[in-house]
Amino acid sequence: MAKSESCIVICIYSALFFTAPLFHCVLGGNDGIGVTYDGRSLIVNGEHKLLFSGSIHYPRSTPDMWPSLIAKAKEGGIDVIQTYVFWNLHEPQQGTYEFSGRRDIVQFVKEIQAQGLYACLRIGPFIEAEWSYGGLPFWLHDVPGIVYRSDNEPFKLHMQNFTTKIVNMMKSEGLYASQGGPIILSQIENEYTLVEAAFGEKGPPYVQWAAKMAVSLQTGVPWSMCKQNDAPDPVINTCNGMRCGETFTGPNSPTKPSIWTENWTSFYQTYGEEPYIRSAEEIAFHVALFIAAKNGTYVNYYMYHGGTNFGRSASAFMITGYYDQGPLDEYGLTREPKWGHLKELHAAVKLCSTPLLTGTKFNFSLGQSLEAIVFKTESDECAAFLVNRGAIDTDVLFQNVTYELPLGSISILPDCKNVAFNTRRVSVQRNTRSMMTVQKFDSSEEWEEFKEPIPNFEDTELRANKLLEHMGTTKDRSDYLWYTFRVQQDSPDSQQTFEVDSRAHALHAFVNGDYAGSAHGTYKEKGFSLVNTITLRNGINNISLLSVMVGLPDSGAFLETRVAGLRRVGIQGVDFSEQPWGYKVGLSGEQSQIFLDTGSSNVQWSRLGNSSQPLTWYKVLPIINSNYLEFKCSRTDLCYCHSLLIGQTRFDAPPGDDPIALNLGSMGKGAAWVNGRGIGRYWVSFLTPKGEPSQKWYNVPRSFLKPTDNQLVILEEETGNPVEISLDSVLITKTCGQVSESHYPLVASWMGAKKQKVRSAKNRTRRPKVQLSCPSKKKISNILFASFGTPSGDCQSYAIGMCHSPNSRPIVEHACLGRVKCSIPISSLNFQGDPCPHVTKTLLVDAQCT
Ligand SMILES: *[C@@H]1O[C@H](CO)[C@@H](O)[C@H](O)[C@H]1NC(C)=O
Ligand SMILES: *[C@@H]1O[C@H](CO)[C@@H](O)[C@H](O)[C@H]1NC(C)=O
Ligand SMILES: *[C@@H]1O[C@H](CO)[C@@H](O)[C@H](O)[C@H]1NC(C)=O
Ligand SMILES: *[C@@H]1O[C@H](CO)[C@@H](O)[C@H](O)[C@H]1NC(C)=O
Ligand SMILES: *[C@@H]1O[C@H](CO)[C@@H](O)[C@H](O)[C@H]1NC(C)=O
Ligand SMILES: *[C@@H]1O[C@H](CO)[C@@H](O)[C@H](O)[C@H]1NC(C)=O
Ligand SMILES: *[C@@H]1O[C@H](CO)[C@@H](O)[C@H](O)[C@H]1NC(C)=O
Ligand SMILES: CC(=O)N[C@H]1CO[C@H](CO)[C@@H](O)[C@@H]1O
């Protein structure tokens, strides 16, 4: 049923646009234009497809980065680029749409198309995505009677409106595969199963409605719902998670393919937590298992490139860098060995395409925790996946041949005879990223400051006799909300206990203009308290409490009812929650937009003082060095005033095209702007259990910079020291490879051999190799270590072992020095003699790129 339904949709649609003959559909619909599916896979323009997909979110990088990110994904064996659509970015005010710059989704999809890849559009429009408010625009909060994500008319109206807007936009640009465009799949809703029960009887009808609404938009390509086992036909239910090869219960119909929309390459990171490092080996194992054990024919990496949560776009407690541990790091540099190992996996799996897409599957045991999964076509084309789920390395006998199978790994045999890839054997290079300071702002002369005024009750316009809810009051125009009140004391100055309970994320207290303590919550705990001793004076005391959100929540049911802000305020046990309160939304520096050139002069900046006060704005001064103010005369007696040339200089863009980051390691908590563009919130003072900041470097995209005269503005909530801020280059400085003689030849040489119809692994000319390459424009400048023999250790720490060829260094230097990339076959022949016969040898090379 599912198939014929989706098929009819496609026929009507393609008939409208292409006058495609209707009998295509009647005959099965698989060879028409557009996308259908069956139990095996997606069918794109009539062809069954085995697809690797990678998530890249367009607003988390800049348009000038898109072409290279997409190109690197393509080179890594990715067929599909998947992105969410960010509603609150596109419709910040109801009916006001924005689609320029980083919001230019059409341009992003067109770039994907230009590079010959497919696109998957996850419209949501609720997306979670560690994005503020899960992508919902905050104005929805004030729509009367609204209940998000349930069978609720106001929500459905707005959801349909936006979904239709996006679909029509894509259609009018001809971007659906049914129109010859790249979009082959889209998504409606997002992980709804997690909240469905909370909505009771309002849940299931909403799922039905969402599916029907989406399908009625007639895109000519299928819709999916992730983590939604009851996704209504013809919508495909898909798996999200880290281990879909083990956990996925399968499509909910035999006519739907097995799709993994989120195979997490790492995990999001919140302030106070360590990064989640997921190894290349582990990801490769679960991808191979999903394909073999769960008939998977579509795997998406979430994230392939995570990028940056610029400005205030991160959701509650999320750090500004997003999935820096992905195959492409935050700056778009390849993270090795993850990128390269997955590239080899993709190539190995693609060698199995025909048996996987058209063959019959068998599986049998090869011993305890050992399994062979074999796909065979009628014409005997065969591919095998040998799985070791156990905890020890084992030799297995498969079709009369013995294979070495490392613990917790899968070997891929695209011809059922020769191993092309093992998920645990990493033969690609590993690289090291370093930060190199290119500019310091280490003179207090270079900075100016503006101390944010602390408002008193009299300074506020918004009043209430109670504690207002934070988000509903700021309407997300700012992270900050001032709560102020007055206390009359009719006795001499005295110390008093002060207690505040908050459901926001952080709090800074001021009494009579003086700082009186801070407190903050964590991602996991809702709510926190500030308990302190304050001094109250005889007479009227002004209490000003700054409530801070570090992003809006992004998940869970009934998001519209979520509360934040102060809940109770007490002094010496007396409750002050219900008495006159004065409110001020945002900071005055924000209101004056002092991070913009145009707003900078709205406040009085002053020279850097010697004591830092919480809540201070800093900016890098124009450099007007008195030396340069002198007239200078050249030999030809031409005199000029130097200050005219550099008087406007604030800081120059570092030369070259290496990515740039601000090292904010000396700061506490706040936000930063470069040329008026928010590079994100920082929170260096919130340390991880290991005592480190969760994030010290903050991405400054090259396109935010001008060649000269760049403006840097920092808002510091605590007492960080701006004089230690530096601008650093992000560089891959080292590359290292370690491959043993017993390694399988690289997939690339396997493929080369296959093309030549040479399918014997016994061909001794195909050798494992160490392959190294430096990122663009860099060359191998120094061999730090080279040993062919039995070097000990790994790329992190190594030493020469019992066996070592004296020719190691000269051979490697000859092959690599001065080159962008090099390849060294691992054979005694290549090293002019066997340093230790009958011993399995390894080549370990560590090299420097400059
Ligand atoms: C969708 O929103 C636009 C802009 O606010 C409005 O003009 C249009 O009437 C809306 N459509 C629906 C169906 O609500
Ligand atoms: C995979 O496909 C086979 C038929 O080739 C079928 O028997 C099996 O149930 C499918 N497994 C899953 C997890 O869908
Ligand atoms: C074959 O695959 C099925 C489904 O994944 C599994 O339940 C079964 O244990 C496997 N059989 C063997 C012998 O490994
Ligand atoms: C394995 O060897 C046995 C006995 O030599 C033979 O009968 C069988 O056909 C062989 N199987 C394969 C797959 O080569
Ligand atoms: C409290 O605020 C009022 C109004 O801004 C001000 O006149 C007064 O001096 C303040 N009191 C103290 C103790 O700072
Ligand atoms: C700050 O500077 C002032 C004036 O120069 C000086 O009196 C004061 O002692 C200094 N404070 C500190 C903490 O260095
Ligand atoms: C081994 O492979 C090379 C190319 O990789 C090919 O030229 C040669 O003929 C092959 N030799 C055998 C014995 O298959
Ligand atoms: C659905 C799923 O697999 N969720 C898991 C994803 O990975 C994290 C971290 O390992 C687990 O906590 C989740 O349960």
Side-chain angles (χ1 to χ4, degrees):
M1 281 316 287
K3 188 174 166 192
S4 62
E5 254 182 65
S6 72
C7 175
I8 285 161
V9 168
I10 285 152
C11 282
I12 294 167
Y13 190 71
S14 46
L16 276 174
F17 281 80
F18 299 101
T19 61
L22 238 117
F23 61 81
H24 266 219
C25 185
V26 181
L27 292 178
N30 288 0
D31 49 354
I33 293 169
V35 185
T36 57
Y37 58 79
D38 62 14
R40 191 77 71 161
S41 74
L42 290 182
I43 301 168
V44 182
N45 298 334
E47 240 182 272
H48 280 90
K49 290 282 182 183
L50 179 60
L51 298 168
F52 290 100
S53 165
S55 289
I56 301 179
H57 293 158
Y58 54 95
R60 284 177 158 139
S61 53
T62 53
D64 65 304
M65 290 170 75
W66 296 342
S68 90
L69 294 175
I70 294 166
K72 285 177 185 173
K74 183 177 182 178
E75 199 191 336
I78 294 295
D79 309 293
V80 186
I81 303 294
Q82 187 207 69
T83 183
Y84 278 125
V85 179
F86 299 78
W87 187 359
N88 54 10
L89 203 62
H90 295 304
E91 198 181 355
Q93 264 88 50
Q94 189 176 352
T96 304
Y97 294 98
E98 293 186 12
F99 290 98
S100 63
R102 282 189 290 119
R103 300 172 164 95
D104 195 345
I105 183 171
V106 166
Q107 182 53 37
F108 183 71
V109 176
K110 284 185 173 170
E111 183 59 42
I112 294 170
Q113 180 174 32
Q115 299 205 25
L117 298 186
Y118 295 124
C120 168
L121 212 57
R122 302 173 80 190
I123 298 180
F126 171 81
I127 57 171
E128 191 159 333
E130 291 70 67
W131 190 262
S132 199
Y133 222 41
L136 299 179
F138 198 81
W139 54 260
L140 281 178
H141 180 264
D142 295 331
V143 171
I146 200 161
V147 181
Y148 307 158
R149 308 176 69 199
S150 79
D151 187 17
N152 167 276
E153 291 310 320
F155 183 73
K156 291 194 299 186
L157 179 82
H158 290 292
M159 171 165 166
Q160 176 160 11
N161 196 343
F162 181 71
T163 307
T164 308
K165 167 109 191 158
I166 294 296
V167 166
N168 288 345
M169 199 166 159
M170 296 299 141
K171 278 188 192 174
S172 71
E173 299 279 348
L175 293 174
Y176 283 103
S178 48
Q179 304 171 285
I183 304 172
I184 55 166
L185 185 65
S186 41
Q187 177 182 310
I188 195 74
E189 249 297 335
N190 191 58
E191 299 191 346
Y192 190 68
T193 309
L194 301 179
V195 295
E196 186 166 351
F199 293 104
E201 60 181 20
K202 294 281 190 187
Y206 168 67
V207 174
Q208 295 292 327
W209 169 84
K212 212 167 152 187
M213 184 273 285
V215 171
S216 77
L217 295 174
Q218 305 204 346
T219 60
V221 311
W223 289 87
S224 69
M225 283 184 161
C226 56
K227 274 197 186 172
Q228 189 71 37
N229 290 339
D230 61 353
D233 294 344
V235 173
I236 308 167
N237 61 308
T238 64
C239 182
N240 282 5
M242 290 211 174
R243 286 173 275 277
C244 288
E246 289 164 355
T247 58
F248 190 38
T249 52
N252 63 14
S253 147
T255 64
K256 294 180 185 176
S258 207
I259 294 184
W260 189 354
T261 39
E262 287 195 14
N263 167 30
W264 301 324
T265 52
S266 167
F267 212 52
Y268 56 76
Q269 190 183 356
T270 62
Y271 285 110
E273 286 178 356
E274 311 283 348
Y276 182 94
I277 316 273
R278 197 178 182 210
S279 73
E281 294 90 321
E282 215 231 344
I283 300 170
F285 177 85
H286 285 280
V287 171
L289 190 64
F290 179 69
I291 288 165
K294 302 288 183 184
N295 303 345
T297 51
Y298 184 112
V299 175
N300 178 68
Y301 296 98
Y302 193 96
M303 297 294 294
Y304 196 78
H305 170 255
T308 308
N309 293 312
F310 295 112
R312 301 170 53 244
S313 63
S315 65
F317 286 104
M318 293 300 150
I319 69 168
T320 291
Y322 191 60
Y323 281 79
D324 180 37
Q325 292 291 329
L328 299 179
D329 72 8
E330 175 174 5
Y331 305 95
L333 301 171
T334 50
R335 184 174 283 285
E336 298 285 28
K338 207 173 263 185
W339 180 86
H341 192 54
L342 295 176
K343 172 183 171 147
E344 300 242 299
L345 166 73
H346 303 150
V349 171
K350 285 293 174 77
L351 289 170
C352 310
S353 291
T354 310
L356 282 174
L357 290 171
T358 64
T360 312
K361 175 165 140 177
F362 311 87
N363 68 327
F364 46 90
S365 172
L366 300 172
Q368 204 189 343
S369 303
L370 301 165
E371 188 185 1
I373 304 172
V374 178
F375 296 83
K376 211 175 222 169
T377 66
E378 279 170 8
S379 56
D380 261 6
E381 268 198 74
C382 178
F385 293 76
L386 308 185
V387 185
N388 180 357
R389 297 175 200 251
I392 44 168
D393 297 350
T394 316
D395 282 348
V396 297
L397 194 64
F398 171 68
Q399 295 188 352
N400 294 355
V401 180
T402 302
Y403 296 88
E404 193 196 339
L405 202 51
L407 59 99
S409 82
I410 297 177
S411 279
I412 300 177
L413 291 65
D415 58 357
C416 282
K417 290 197 186 79
N418 301 297
V419 177
F421 181 84
N422 176 276
T423 56
R424 211 177 172 89
R425 285 274 154 83
V426 176
S427 58
V428 299
Q429 64 182 338
R430 294 162 193 273
N431 58 22
T432 309
R433 187 174 78 183
S434 338
M435 306 292 186
M436 212 179 68
T437 298
V438 289
Q439 176 137 16
K440 289 183 175 176
F441 306 103
D442 56 355
S443 149
S444 55
E445 312 281 295
E446 284 176 86
W447 292 92
E448 279 187 322
E449 65 179 24
F450 164 66
K451 290 190 167 47
E452 174 71 25
I454 313 297
N456 293 332
F457 182 83
E458 270 75 22
D459 305 326
T460 61
E461 280 167 13
L462 180 63
R463 300 282 166 82
N465 285 331
K466 60 174 185 177
L467 293 169
L468 293 179
E469 193 278 314
H470 184 127
M471 295 179 283
T473 308
T474 61
K475 311 247 180 263
D476 197 31
R477 278 176 290 148
S478 168
D479 286 351
Y480 303 98
L481 178 61
W482 284 105
Y483 289 70
T484 66
F485 71 110
R486 290 168 306 192
V487 194
Q488 171 79 34
Q489 160 133 316
D490 298 320
S491 52
D493 294 6
S494 64
Q495 303 263 304
Q496 314 247 328
T497 316
F498 183 54
E499 269 179 90
V500 185
D501 292 341
S502 172
R503 288 289 291 268
H505 300 153
L507 172 69
H508 306 296
F510 298 83
V511 176
N512 296 323
D514 293 332
Y515 177 64
S518 297
H520 68 81
T522 68
Y523 176 65
K524 293 205 171 96
E525 279 163 48
K526 292 191 173 68
F528 63 93
S529 299
L530 171 72
V531 182
N532 211 347
T533 306
I534 57 170
T535 306
L536 290 191
R537 299 181 195 165
N538 189 357
I540 290 180
N541 290 268
N542 300 309
I543 314 253
S544 309
L545 304 172
L546 184 64
S547 176
V548 186
M549 295 294 283
V550 186
L552 298 187
D554 68 354
S555 59
F558 303 113
L559 205 53
E560 69 284 347
T561 63
R562 219 58 73 74
V563 295
L566 306 191
R567 311 294 287 163
R568 195 184 67 86
V569 176
I571 298 176
Q572 265 335 70
V574 178
D575 191 344
F576 283 82
S577 308
E578 290 181 6
Q579 47 102 46
W581 282 88
Y583 295 90
K584 186 165 176 279
V585 173
L587 303 179
S588 56
E590 288 180 292
Q591 265 144 20
S592 305
Q593 297 194 295
I594 64 176
F595 40 81
L596 297 180
D597 258 350
T598 48
S600 185
S601 56
N602 289 346
V603 300
Q604 186 66 47
W605 294 88
S606 57
R607 311 206 67 158
L608 212 57
N610 57 3
S611 69
S612 46
Q613 167 200 301
L615 275 191
T616 303
W617 296 79
Y618 297 100
K619 78 168 177 177
V620 175
L621 257 187
I623 299 171
I624 303 179
N625 190 318
S626 56
N627 291 336
Y628 292 119
L629 286 171
E630 294 170 5
F631 271 86
K632 286 194 169 182
C633 296
S634 67
R635 281 189 202 134
T636 56
D637 282 348
L638 184 69
C639 295
Y640 54 93
C641 175
H642 212 108
S643 72
L644 284 180
L645 293 175
I646 64 136
Q648 288 299 309
T649 302
R650 286 169 261 200
F651 71 92
D652 293 352
D657 55 7
D658 294 316
I660 301 291
L662 265 184
N663 181 347
L664 296 178
S666 63
M667 303 304 284
K669 178 183 185 310
W673 291 261
V674 169
N675 295 329
R677 301 185 196 227
I679 64 163
R681 303 184 183 98
Y682 65 86
W683 198 348
V684 176
S685 61
F686 194 163
L687 302 180
T688 70
K690 286 186 189 157
E692 290 285 316
S694 297
Q695 186 179 354
K696 225 162 112 173
W697 280 275
Y698 291 80
N699 183 18
V700 180
R702 282 266 169 191
S703 63
F704 284 13
L705 293 175
K706 300 180 277 181
T708 58
D709 193 26
N710 293 290
Q711 169 78 287
L712 169 63
V713 174
I714 310 268
L715 164 63
E716 168 67 19
E717 293 172 28
E718 300 177 352
T719 54
N721 180 9
V723 169
E724 283 170 36
I725 291 176
S726 66
L727 199 64
D728 295 0
S729 273
V730 187
L731 304 165
I732 302 294
T733 48
K734 287 204 321 172
T735 170
C736 175
Q738 180 185 29
V739 175
S740 129
E741 276 183 319
S742 67
H743 260 76
Y744 315 107
L746 293 172
V747 177
S749 50
W750 209 101
M751 286 164 78
K754 194 183 174 192
K755 276 194 199 118
Q756 295 162 28
K757 298 212 179 337
V758 180
R759 302 198 55 172
S760 163
K762 301 219 167 59
N763 188 332
R764 291 289 162 203
T765 63
R766 284 194 284 119
R767 290 280 178 190
K769 294 170 182 156
V770 163
Q771 292 190 309
L772 302 177
S773 72
C774 293
S776 62
K777 293 179 192 157
K778 304 257 182 317
K779 288 188 174 132
I780 295 172
S781 57
N782 188 12
I783 301 300
L784 302 166
F785 181 86
S787 178
F788 175 64
T790 56
S792 63
D794 56 25
C795 281
Q796 258 84 55
S797 147
Y798 40 69
I800 285 173
M802 297 285 284
C803 163
H804 170 73
S805 164
N807 300 323
S808 304
R809 179 175 284 272
I811 297 286
V812 170
E813 285 183 343
H814 182 253
C816 300
L817 277 185
R819 304 223 157 98
V820 173
K821 57 170 78 174
C822 62
S823 160
I824 313 126
I826 297 165
S827 76
S828 298
L829 208 63
N830 188 37
F831 286 90
Q832 295 154 10
D834 193 336
C836 45
H838 313 300
V839 173
T840 305
K841 288 167 287 293
T842 294
L843 173 62
L844 197 160
V845 179
D846 193 15
Q848 201 165 7
C849 295
T850 33

